[in-house]
Amino acid sequence: MGTETDDRGRLYLSKDLRERHGERFHVVEYSDHIELIPIDDDPLEGLREAVGDAFDDKSIDELRDEARELAREEAANDVRRD
């Protein structure tokens, strides 16, 4: 399947693609191509579906706090290695 941008740079996807993958995408740019990653209407629900019950009984705030703490630990470890 091929598509082209219009004179304003907009890219049109077929109705079939939009129905299967949604209408919101994250654009990832590589040196030689781009990739469209569908964005779930409810990103947290999409993540839960992808990882199973790993996040059961955890609120968004708890998940955010855990992610921040992990990022702090990883950053501290990276600094110590230098």
Side-chain angles (χ1 to χ4, degrees), residues 11-42:
L11 181 68
Y12 291 94
L13 300 177
S14 70
K15 181 180 179 182
D16 179 54
L17 283 175
R18 292 191 317 270
E19 287 176 348
R20 282 189 285 148
H21 301 289
E23 296 194 13
R24 296 181 61 218
F25 296 86
H26 178 74
V27 178
V28 180
E29 183 178 356
Y30 298 96
S31 62
D32 61 343
H33 68 281
I34 61 170
E35 184 174 356
L36 300 176
I37 309 294
I39 298 173
D40 290 318
D41 290 334
D42 181 353

Side-chain angles (χ1 to χ4, degrees), residues 46-60:
L47 182 60
R48 283 191 168 125
E49 288 175 8
V51 298
D53 62 358
F55 297 140
D56 278 355
D57 301 323
K58 291 192 178 186
S59 71
I60 292 173

